[in-house]
Amino acid sequence: MAPVNRPSTGVGFCSPSAQADIAERPSAASGKTSETRHITLTVNGQQHGLKVTPNAVLLDVLREQLGLFGTKKGCDHGQCGACTIHVNGRSVNSCLMLACLQEGAEIVTIEGLAESAGFEQGHHPVQEAFLAHDAYQCGYCTAGQMMTASAVISDESIDGDETSLREAMSGNICRCGAYKNILDAVQSARGKMRGGQ
């Protein structure tokens, strides 16, 4: 079989000098990058000036730079819901969001849930309902469950029947299996916040 002559340029070909140049560059995937950006994030009503790498995930910035440890690191793939926060009023997985893209957004974590909803003193009704209904066991997923629950209750398009609430909460996993109590807590808080609707 005759040897194949590869073109010096084209799709799939990288010259030895280009390979050497690429090998020396920091990789965003490896987290090894020297480039940083100055950003301002609004978290729980307060502005924070931060220095972050372009690939910094919002979850890590909240925990490591702002010390907001209520937002938990679970799967890092957006599948468990332990890192759920509110961004502009919507529940999102903070492990899937780049921090540098959140400038100008209103970010709320479990630490600011009550105050952001106008409950300056005491707890948010969702927090009270979770306590009253023992809607937790190990507690690792609880903050994410509460953040999703408060967003679900505020969403007028989601009905309060068991099937609708289970579906709306399905992005949050409880490895201890406290789903019945979690659902009871969500229904109780929904009743209080919506005046028994």
Side-chain angles (χ1 to χ4, degrees), residues 56-82:
V57 177
L58 183 56
L59 168 62
D60 294 334
V61 171
L62 292 172
R63 290 178 59 80
E64 296 167 14
Q65 292 194 41
L66 298 181
L68 298 171
F69 299 112
T71 305
K72 302 296 188 214
K73 185 180 265 260
C75 66
D76 256 350
H77 295 291
Q79 296 177 353
C80 74

PDB file of all heavy atoms in Angstrom, residues 56-82:
ATOM      1  N   ALA A  56     -15.041  30.626  35.035  1.00  0.00           N
ATOM      2  CA  ALA A  56     -15.504  30.423  36.410  1.00  0.00           C
ATOM      3  C   ALA A  56     -17.010  30.202  36.426  1.00  0.00           C
ATOM      4  O   ALA A  56     -17.780  30.983  35.877  1.00  0.00           O
ATOM      5  CB  ALA A  56     -15.138  31.614  37.280  1.00  0.00           C
ATOM      6  N   VAL A  57     -17.422  29.148  37.076  1.00  0.00           N
ATOM      7  CA  VAL A  57     -18.838  28.799  37.177  1.00  0.00           C
ATOM      8  C   VAL A  57     -19.453  29.578  38.343  1.00  0.00           C
ATOM      9  O   VAL A  57     -18.815  29.742  39.393  1.00  0.00           O
ATOM     10  CB  VAL A  57     -18.992  27.273  37.377  1.00  0.00           C
ATOM     11  CG1 VAL A  57     -20.439  26.877  37.566  1.00  0.00           C
ATOM     12  CG2 VAL A  57     -18.391  26.532  36.186  1.00  0.00           C
ATOM     13  N   LEU A  58     -20.669  30.042  38.160  1.00  0.00           N
ATOM     14  CA  LEU A  58     -21.336  30.858  39.169  1.00  0.00           C
ATOM     15  C   LEU A  58     -21.391  30.151  40.523  1.00  0.00           C
ATOM     16  O   LEU A  58     -21.165  30.775  41.559  1.00  0.00           O
ATOM     17  CB  LEU A  58     -22.737  31.238  38.692  1.00  0.00           C
ATOM     18  CG  LEU A  58     -23.553  32.151  39.604  1.00  0.00           C
ATOM     19  CD1 LEU A  58     -22.818  33.450  39.902  1.00  0.00           C
ATOM     20  CD2 LEU A  58     -24.909  32.445  38.982  1.00  0.00           C
ATOM     21  N   LEU A  59     -21.669  28.863  40.538  1.00  0.00           N
ATOM     22  CA  LEU A  59     -21.717  28.106  41.795  1.00  0.00           C
ATOM     23  C   LEU A  59     -20.410  28.252  42.568  1.00  0.00           C
ATOM     24  O   LEU A  59     -20.412  28.518  43.778  1.00  0.00           O
ATOM     25  CB  LEU A  59     -21.993  26.626  41.495  1.00  0.00           C
ATOM     26  CG  LEU A  59     -21.807  25.645  42.649  1.00  0.00           C
ATOM     27  CD1 LEU A  59     -22.758  25.948  43.795  1.00  0.00           C
ATOM     28  CD2 LEU A  59     -21.987  24.212  42.172  1.00  0.00           C
ATOM     29  N   ASP A  60     -19.288  28.078  41.894  1.00  0.00           N
ATOM     30  CA  ASP A  60     -17.987  28.166  42.556  1.00  0.00           C
ATOM     31  C   ASP A  60     -17.703  29.574  43.064  1.00  0.00           C
ATOM     32  O   ASP A  60     -17.141  29.745  44.149  1.00  0.00           O
ATOM     33  CB  ASP A  60     -16.879  27.700  41.609  1.00  0.00           C
ATOM     34  CG  ASP A  60     -16.982  26.224  41.267  1.00  0.00           C
ATOM     35  OD1 ASP A  60     -17.552  25.458  42.076  1.00  0.00           O
ATOM     36  OD2 ASP A  60     -16.511  25.836  40.181  1.00  0.00           O
ATOM     37  N   VAL A  61     -18.088  30.578  42.302  1.00  0.00           N
ATOM     38  CA  VAL A  61     -17.879  31.966  42.723  1.00  0.00           C
ATOM     39  C   VAL A  61     -18.715  32.270  43.970  1.00  0.00           C
ATOM     40  O   VAL A  61     -18.225  32.888  44.925  1.00  0.00           O
ATOM     41  CB  VAL A  61     -18.205  32.951  41.576  1.00  0.00           C
ATOM     42  CG1 VAL A  61     -18.217  34.393  42.064  1.00  0.00           C
ATOM     43  CG2 VAL A  61     -17.205  32.773  40.441  1.00  0.00           C
ATOM     44  N   LEU A  62     -19.961  31.826  43.985  1.00  0.00           N
ATOM     45  CA  LEU A  62     -20.819  32.047  45.157  1.00  0.00           C
ATOM     46  C   LEU A  62     -20.220  31.416  46.407  1.00  0.00           C
ATOM     47  O   LEU A  62     -20.185  32.027  47.477  1.00  0.00           O
ATOM     48  CB  LEU A  62     -22.222  31.473  44.911  1.00  0.00           C
ATOM     49  CG  LEU A  62     -23.074  32.170  43.858  1.00  0.00           C
ATOM     50  CD1 LEU A  62     -24.349  31.389  43.591  1.00  0.00           C
ATOM     51  CD2 LEU A  62     -23.397  33.600  44.270  1.00  0.00           C
ATOM     52  N   ARG A  63     -19.741  30.198  46.270  1.00  0.00           N
ATOM     53  CA  ARG A  63     -19.211  29.471  47.425  1.00  0.00           C
ATOM     54  C   ARG A  63     -17.803  29.932  47.811  1.00  0.00           C
ATOM     55  O   ARG A  63     -17.535  30.212  48.977  1.00  0.00           O
ATOM     56  CB  ARG A  63     -19.207  27.966  47.141  1.00  0.00           C
ATOM     57  CG  ARG A  63     -20.608  27.351  47.078  1.00  0.00           C
ATOM     58  CD  ARG A  63     -20.549  25.864  46.747  1.00  0.00           C
ATOM     59  NE  ARG A  63     -19.782  25.120  47.722  1.00  0.00           N
ATOM     60  CZ  ARG A  63     -20.230  24.714  48.914  1.00  0.00           C
ATOM     61  NH1 ARG A  63     -21.479  24.986  49.272  1.00  0.00           N
ATOM     62  NH2 ARG A  63     -19.456  24.043  49.740  1.00  0.00           N
ATOM     63  N   GLU A  64     -16.920  30.005  46.844  1.00  0.00           N
ATOM     64  CA  GLU A  64     -15.506  30.225  47.140  1.00  0.00           C
ATOM     65  C   GLU A  64     -15.125  31.691  47.318  1.00  0.00           C
ATOM     66  O   GLU A  64     -14.229  32.009  48.096  1.00  0.00           O
ATOM     67  CB  GLU A  64     -14.647  29.586  46.054  1.00  0.00           C
ATOM     68  CG  GLU A  64     -14.799  28.066  46.010  1.00  0.00           C
ATOM     69  CD  GLU A  64     -14.209  27.437  44.770  1.00  0.00           C
ATOM     70  OE1 GLU A  64     -13.446  28.123  44.045  1.00  0.00           O
ATOM     71  OE2 GLU A  64     -14.526  26.265  44.502  1.00  0.00           O
ATOM     72  N   GLN A  65     -15.792  32.594  46.587  1.00  0.00           N
ATOM     73  CA  GLN A  65     -15.423  34.004  46.711  1.00  0.00           C
ATOM     74  C   GLN A  65     -16.366  34.788  47.608  1.00  0.00           C
ATOM     75  O   GLN A  65     -15.951  35.744  48.254  1.00  0.00           O
ATOM     76  CB  GLN A  65     -15.344  34.655  45.329  1.00  0.00           C
ATOM     77  CG  GLN A  65     -14.184  34.114  44.496  1.00  0.00           C
ATOM     78  CD  GLN A  65     -13.905  34.993  43.297  1.00  0.00           C
ATOM     79  OE1 GLN A  65     -13.925  36.217  43.374  1.00  0.00           O
ATOM     80  NE2 GLN A  65     -13.633  34.362  42.164  1.00  0.00           N
ATOM     81  N   LEU A  66     -17.648  34.396  47.635  1.00  0.00           N
ATOM     82  CA  LEU A  66     -18.612  35.140  48.444  1.00  0.00           C
ATOM     83  C   LEU A  66     -18.985  34.430  49.744  1.00  0.00           C
ATOM     84  O   LEU A  66     -19.700  34.996  50.571  1.00  0.00           O
ATOM     85  CB  LEU A  66     -19.871  35.439  47.619  1.00  0.00           C
ATOM     86  CG  LEU A  66     -19.644  36.311  46.383  1.00  0.00           C
ATOM     87  CD1 LEU A  66     -20.956  36.559  45.660  1.00  0.00           C
ATOM     88  CD2 LEU A  66     -18.989  37.634  46.771  1.00  0.00           C
ATOM     89  N   GLY A  67     -18.530  33.200  49.917  1.00  0.00           N
ATOM     90  CA  GLY A  67     -18.793  32.469  51.160  1.00  0.00           C
ATOM     91  C   GLY A  67     -20.245  32.104  51.372  1.00  0.00           C
ATOM     92  O   GLY A  67     -20.688  31.936  52.506  1.00  0.00           O
ATOM     93  N   LEU A  68     -21.005  31.961  50.290  1.00  0.00           N
ATOM     94  CA  LEU A  68     -22.422  31.584  50.380  1.00  0.00           C
ATOM     95  C   LEU A  68     -22.532  30.070  50.215  1.00  0.00           C
ATOM     96  O   LEU A  68     -22.774  29.558  49.134  1.00  0.00           O
ATOM     97  CB  LEU A  68     -23.235  32.344  49.332  1.00  0.00           C
ATOM     98  CG  LEU A  68     -23.214  33.865  49.501  1.00  0.00           C
ATOM     99  CD1 LEU A  68     -23.845  34.552  48.304  1.00  0.00           C
ATOM    100  CD2 LEU A  68     -23.914  34.270  50.794  1.00  0.00           C
ATOM    101  N   PHE A  69     -22.346  29.366  51.321  1.00  0.00           N
ATOM    102  CA  PHE A  69     -22.248  27.912  51.280  1.00  0.00           C
ATOM    103  C   PHE A  69     -23.597  27.189  51.292  1.00  0.00           C
ATOM    104  O   PHE A  69     -23.634  25.970  51.217  1.00  0.00           O
ATOM    105  CB  PHE A  69     -21.387  27.412  52.445  1.00  0.00           C
ATOM    106  CG  PHE A  69     -19.984  27.953  52.396  1.00  0.00           C
ATOM    107  CD1 PHE A  69     -19.548  28.861  53.353  1.00  0.00           C
ATOM    108  CD2 PHE A  69     -19.119  27.594  51.378  1.00  0.00           C
ATOM    109  CE1 PHE A  69     -18.258  29.374  53.311  1.00  0.00           C
ATOM    110  CE2 PHE A  69     -17.830  28.104  51.320  1.00  0.00           C
ATOM    111  CZ  PHE A  69     -17.404  28.992  52.285  1.00  0.00           C
ATOM    112  N   GLY A  70     -24.700  27.938  51.376  1.00  0.00           N
ATOM    113  CA  GLY A  70     -26.019  27.306  51.323  1.00  0.00           C
ATOM    114  C   GLY A  70     -26.291  26.680  49.969  1.00  0.00           C
ATOM    115  O   GLY A  70     -27.003  25.690  49.860  1.00  0.00           O
ATOM    116  N   THR A  71     -25.723  27.250  48.928  1.00  0.00           N
ATOM    117  CA  THR A  71     -25.849  26.687  47.586  1.00  0.00           C
ATOM    118  C   THR A  71     -24.861  25.540  47.491  1.00  0.00           C
ATOM    119  O   THR A  71     -23.659  25.743  47.589  1.00  0.00           O
ATOM    120  CB  THR A  71     -25.539  27.762  46.519  1.00  0.00           C
ATOM    121  OG1 THR A  71     -26.396  28.883  46.750  1.00  0.00           O
ATOM    122  CG2 THR A  71     -25.785  27.228  45.127  1.00  0.00           C
ATOM    123  N   LYS A  72     -25.381  24.329  47.312  1.00  0.00           N
ATOM    124  CA  LYS A  72     -24.540  23.127  47.392  1.00  0.00           C
ATOM    125  C   LYS A  72     -24.015  22.688  46.040  1.00  0.00           C
ATOM    126  O   LYS A  72     -24.660  22.856  45.012  1.00  0.00           O
ATOM    127  CB  LYS A  72     -25.326  21.967  48.012  1.00  0.00           C
ATOM    128  CG  LYS A  72     -25.875  22.255  49.392  1.00  0.00           C
ATOM    129  CD  LYS A  72     -24.782  22.473  50.386  1.00  0.00           C
ATOM    130  CE  LYS A  72     -25.335  22.567  51.785  1.00  0.00           C
ATOM    131  NZ  LYS A  72     -24.612  23.469  52.632  1.00  0.00           N
ATOM    132  N   LYS A  73     -22.845  22.088  46.081  1.00  0.00           N
ATOM    133  CA  LYS A  73     -22.240  21.492  44.885  1.00  0.00           C
ATOM    134  C   LYS A  73     -22.617  20.020  44.918  1.00  0.00           C
ATOM    135  O   LYS A  73     -22.164  19.274  45.792  1.00  0.00           O
ATOM    136  CB  LYS A  73     -20.725  21.669  44.916  1.00  0.00           C
ATOM    137  CG  LYS A  73     -20.039  21.180  43.653  1.00  0.00           C
ATOM    138  CD  LYS A  73     -18.540  21.381  43.752  1.00  0.00           C
ATOM    139  CE  LYS A  73     -18.112  22.636  43.137  1.00  0.00           C
ATOM    140  NZ  LYS A  73     -17.559  22.745  41.869  1.00  0.00           N
ATOM    141  N   GLY A  74     -23.437  19.602  43.970  1.00  0.00           N
ATOM    142  CA  GLY A  74     -23.898  18.218  43.925  1.00  0.00           C
ATOM    143  C   GLY A  74     -23.264  17.448  42.801  1.00  0.00           C
ATOM    144  O   GLY A  74     -22.199  16.854  42.952  1.00  0.00           O
ATOM    145  N   CYS A  75     -23.893  17.495  41.635  1.00  0.00           N
ATOM    146  CA  CYS A  75     -23.440  16.678  40.501  1.00  0.00           C
ATOM    147  C   CYS A  75     -22.520  17.428  39.545  1.00  0.00           C
ATOM    148  O   CYS A  75     -21.780  16.823  38.793  1.00  0.00           O
ATOM    149  CB  CYS A  75     -24.651  16.165  39.732  1.00  0.00           C
ATOM    150  SG  CYS A  75     -25.589  17.489  38.920  1.00  0.00           S
ATOM    151  N   ASP A  76     -22.571  18.766  39.543  1.00  0.00           N
ATOM    152  CA  ASP A  76     -21.816  19.599  38.604  1.00  0.00           C
ATOM    153  C   ASP A  76     -22.242  19.397  37.152  1.00  0.00           C
ATOM    154  O   ASP A  76     -21.515  19.746  36.232  1.00  0.00           O
ATOM    155  CB  ASP A  76     -20.303  19.363  38.726  1.00  0.00           C
ATOM    156  CG  ASP A  76     -19.604  20.487  39.462  1.00  0.00           C
ATOM    157  OD1 ASP A  76     -20.241  21.528  39.701  1.00  0.00           O
ATOM    158  OD2 ASP A  76     -18.420  20.332  39.797  1.00  0.00           O
ATOM    159  N   HIS A  77     -23.421  18.804  36.936  1.00  0.00           N
ATOM    160  CA  HIS A  77     -23.915  18.565  35.575  1.00  0.00           C
ATOM    161  C   HIS A  77     -25.353  19.063  35.387  1.00  0.00           C
ATOM    162  O   HIS A  77     -25.985  18.737  34.397  1.00  0.00           O
ATOM    163  CB  HIS A  77     -23.859  17.071  35.239  1.00  0.00           C
ATOM    164  CG  HIS A  77     -22.465  16.523  35.199  1.00  0.00           C
ATOM    165  ND1 HIS A  77     -21.569  16.861  34.226  1.00  0.00           N
ATOM    166  CD2 HIS A  77     -21.825  15.676  36.031  1.00  0.00           C
ATOM    167  CE1 HIS A  77     -20.421  16.239  34.450  1.00  0.00           C
ATOM    168  NE2 HIS A  77     -20.547  15.524  35.539  1.00  0.00           N
ATOM    169  N   GLY A  78     -25.890  19.796  36.346  1.00  0.00           N
ATOM    170  CA  GLY A  78     -27.247  20.323  36.222  1.00  0.00           C
ATOM    171  C   GLY A  78     -28.335  19.282  36.344  1.00  0.00           C
ATOM    172  O   GLY A  78     -29.436  19.485  35.850  1.00  0.00           O
ATOM    173  N   GLN A  79     -28.045  18.175  37.022  1.00  0.00           N
ATOM    174  CA  GLN A  79     -29.024  17.094  37.094  1.00  0.00           C
ATOM    175  C   GLN A  79     -29.626  16.878  38.479  1.00  0.00           C
ATOM    176  O   GLN A  79     -30.645  16.221  38.597  1.00  0.00           O
ATOM    177  CB  GLN A  79     -28.381  15.790  36.624  1.00  0.00           C
ATOM    178  CG  GLN A  79     -27.970  15.847  35.175  1.00  0.00           C
ATOM    179  CD  GLN A  79     -27.266  14.584  34.710  1.00  0.00           C
ATOM    180  OE1 GLN A  79     -26.968  13.699  35.495  1.00  0.00           O
ATOM    181  NE2 GLN A  79     -26.996  14.504  33.423  1.00  0.00           N
ATOM    182  N   CYS A  80     -29.001  17.418  39.532  1.00  0.00           N
ATOM    183  CA  CYS A  80     -29.503  17.108  40.881  1.00  0.00           C
ATOM    184  C   CYS A  80     -30.269  18.258  41.522  1.00  0.00           C
ATOM    185  O   CYS A  80     -31.087  18.032  42.403  1.00  0.00           O
ATOM    186  CB  CYS A  80     -28.359  16.660  41.783  1.00  0.00           C
ATOM    187  SG  CYS A  80     -27.251  17.996  42.310  1.00  0.00           S
ATOM    188  N   GLY A  81     -30.004  19.494  41.129  1.00  0.00           N
ATOM    189  CA  GLY A  81     -30.729  20.639  41.669  1.00  0.00           C
ATOM    190  C   GLY A  81     -30.201  21.176  42.986  1.00  0.00           C
ATOM    191  O   GLY A  81     -30.748  22.146  43.520  1.00  0.00           O
ATOM    192  N   ALA A  82     -29.137  20.596  43.543  1.00  0.00           N
ATOM    193  CA  ALA A  82     -28.611  21.062  44.828  1.00  0.00           C
ATOM    194  C   ALA A  82     -28.085  22.493  44.755  1.00  0.00           C
ATOM    195  O   ALA A  82     -28.034  23.191  45.761  1.00  0.00           O
ATOM    196  CB  ALA A  82     -27.506  20.131  45.315  1.00  0.00           C
TER     197      ALA A  82
END
